[in-house]
Structures are given as C-alpha cells and as structure tokens.
C-alpha cells in the first residue's frame, strides 16, 4: 500500500506539471533545443550519432522487461520521474532553457542504455504533445539528456559505489548527469553557432556560463531529490530493487 501511495504521488505531481505547462503553453520559452533551431546538417549529425545508442538501448530494455518483468513498474516510474523533472523549465539561452533532467535515477537503477530509451521517449512525447523541444532536434536533445547524462550518472555511480555511502554516490551521480547534459548542449550550440570572433570556444563559454547560473542550483536540487526517491523505495522494500541487486535494498 505504501509503495502504491508513492507512485500515486508521482503521478499527481506529473498532472500538476502538465496543468502548469498548459497555462504557460503560449509563452515563447522552450525547453531543450527547440524545433528548427539547429542547422539541418547538425540536426542530421546528432541523429546519426544517437542511432547506435537507440538500437542497443532498445535491445537492453526489452531484455530487462523479459528477464525481470517485476521491474516494469519501476521502469515506468523512472520514465515519469524524468518527464516531470524535465518539464520544469526556466528560460535560459535563446532557443533553449534550463531544467532538471531526472535521468540519473533510471541510470543508477537500470543502467545507461535503458535510460537512453526512457529519456528519448520522454523527449519525443514532450515534442509532440507539449511543443517542448522538437522532432528535428530530437537527436541533439537525446544525445545531451538521454545519452550523455545517463552514461555519466552510471559511470560516477559505479566509481563511487562501495567507496562512499550510497547517498553520496547517488547525489553525485544525479547532479553530474544534470550538469553534463548542459555541457553537451553548450557544445552543440557552440558547434552550430560559433562566435564570429572567438569561434567555438568563445561561443561555448558564453552558452555554458549562462546555463550555469540556473543549472548548478538545479543540479544540486536534483541530486537531493534523487537520493530521497531511492531511499523511499528502499524503505518501502520495493521488490524491484532486490531483483536489480541494488545496494541497500531490504
């Protein structure tokens, strides 16, 4: 019953976020890199780079659902978690915005490739249903939020797991996943729009500095929230954590 209440609370939060987006739908601020913002060549490039991760990720998540069917509910929850957090936007650099990503949780629980698919689905739904991000920029947004972020989170989690407390490892992994998403986004924007004088590096520093103003506090907040969610799952004796061999699961 407690576990059911947790998932109900997450879905309620999702509904509130959607209502908030609906009220602000006509505002010009966009989340992720918006539709048509990238030149065609760069848009295609990021699709090509992301494609192998999508193929491997699809096979991994299908295998997880087949071999560990009890994990399906947790997979859905991590997808909803990413959807909710990445829907909380703060206007930032022109053509994009700052927001939490929520991808660290899924990467820690399942692995980076599974989160690639969940994150891409989140981005696709937001582009189609909420006009946040875009279809032409789906490859770029997927690479920054659904690929780079989860892989950094998973790598940091594996590096720190057993060397420090789970809470510290989870916080660091989730916070850095958030930050690396915007480092990669800054690289993408700088490649597409280098500064006329200082070139790529000047543009990268400009984009990265503006993002940092809002993203550093958001990354810290996301790290804390991810720790709270994982600990809540532990306290509820979620069987999904046991099947995944998660440290600390009762």
């Amino acid at each position: 019953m407690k576990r059911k209440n947790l998932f109900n609370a997450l879905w309620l939060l999702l509904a509130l976020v959607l209502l908030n987006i609906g009220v602000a739908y006509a505002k010009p601020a966009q989340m992720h890199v918006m539709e048509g913002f990238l030149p065609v060549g760069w848009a295609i490039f990021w699709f090509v780079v992301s494609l192998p991760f999508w193929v491997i990720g699809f096979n991994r998540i299908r295998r997880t659902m087949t071999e560990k069917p009890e994990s399906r509910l947790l997979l859905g929850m991590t997808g909803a978690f990413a959807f909710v957090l990445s829907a909380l936007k703060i206007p930032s650099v022109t053509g994009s915005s700052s927001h939490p990503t929520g991808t660290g949780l899924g990467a820690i629980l399942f692995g980076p490739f599974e989160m690639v698919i969940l994150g891409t689905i989140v981005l696709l739904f937001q582009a189609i249903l909420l006009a946040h991000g875009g279809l032409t920029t789906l490859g770029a947004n997927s690479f920054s939020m659904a690929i780079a972020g989860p892989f950094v989170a998973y790598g940091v989690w594996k590096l720190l797991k057993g060397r420090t407390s789970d809470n510290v490892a989870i916080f660091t992994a989730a916070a850095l996943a958030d930050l690396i998403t915007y480092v990669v986004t800054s690289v993408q924007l700088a490649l597409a729009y280098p500064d006329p004088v200082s070139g790529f590096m000047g543009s990268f520093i400009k984009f990265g500095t503006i993002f940092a103003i809002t993203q550093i506090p958001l990354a810290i907040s996301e790290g804390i929230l991810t720790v709270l969610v994982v600990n809540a799952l532990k306290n509820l004796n979620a069987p999904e954590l046991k099947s995944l061999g998660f440290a600390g699961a009762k």
Side-chain angles (χ1 to χ4, degrees):
M1 180 62 68
K2 290 182 179 180
R3 183 153 55 96
K4 181 179 179 181
N5 290 337
L6 173 63
F7 292 128
N8 287 340
L10 286 171
W11 285 113
L12 176 60
L13 178 59
L14 172 60
L16 291 174
V17 170
L18 291 176
L19 287 174
N20 176 65
I21 292 172
V23 172
Y25 190 81
K27 293 183 180 180
Q30 293 279 331
M31 66 183 301
H32 317 307
V33 181
M34 69 180 182
E35 183 70 70
F37 190 72
L38 292 178
V40 174
W42 282 113
I44 294 174
F45 172 80
W46 292 112
F47 266 102
V48 172
V49 172
S50 299
L51 184 59
F53 293 92
W54 289 334
V55 172
I56 297 174
F58 178 78
N59 290 329
R60 291 285 182 86
I61 201 168
R62 183 175 59 180
R63 185 175 67 185
T64 297
M65 294 177 67
T66 300
E67 297 178 354
K68 301 174 181 177
E70 69 279 3
S71 68
R72 293 180 181 182
L73 184 60
L74 190 57
L75 273 169
M77 190 212 74
T78 54
F81 182 78
F83 188 100
V84 169
L85 289 195
S86 60
L88 302 173
K89 63 184 185 294
I90 297 176
S92 186
V93 180
T94 300
S96 189
S97 67
S98 286
H99 55 82
T101 65
T103 59
L105 177 64
I108 291 169
L109 295 178
F110 292 99
F113 281 107
E114 286 85 348
M115 197 60 225
V116 166
I117 300 302
L118 293 176
T120 301
I121 291 173
V122 165
L123 290 164
L124 181 61
F125 271 73
Q126 289 176 345
I128 294 174
L129 300 178
L130 306 176
H132 293 161
L135 296 179
T136 62
T137 56
L138 182 62
N141 288 326
S142 293
F143 189 83
S144 61
M145 190 180 107
I147 296 174
F151 271 89
V152 167
Y154 185 75
V156 171
W157 164 248
K158 285 296 186 182
L159 179 65
L160 296 180
K161 183 180 179 182
R163 295 181 173 87
T164 184
S165 69
D166 273 1
N167 286 345
V168 171
I170 293 166
F171 169 84
T172 305
L176 289 181
D178 184 300
L179 288 176
I180 198 64
T181 295
Y182 283 89
V183 171
V184 173
T185 299
S186 297
V187 169
Q188 292 171 331
L189 295 175
L191 286 170
Y193 300 102
D195 186 270
V197 177
S198 53
F200 165 81
M201 188 54 65
S203 184
F204 171 75
I205 292 174
K206 177 182 71 176
F207 287 130
T209 300
I210 297 174
F211 274 133
I213 295 172
T214 51
Q215 208 57 39
I216 291 176
L218 285 176
I220 294 172
S221 300
E222 181 174 341
I224 295 172
L225 179 59
T226 304
V227 170
L228 293 175
V229 170
V230 173
N231 283 332
L233 290 171
K234 288 181 183 179
N235 292 334
L236 293 172
N237 297 321
E240 297 89 347
L241 291 185
K242 297 177 185 178
S243 70
L244 294 170
F246 190 82
K250 297 179 181 179

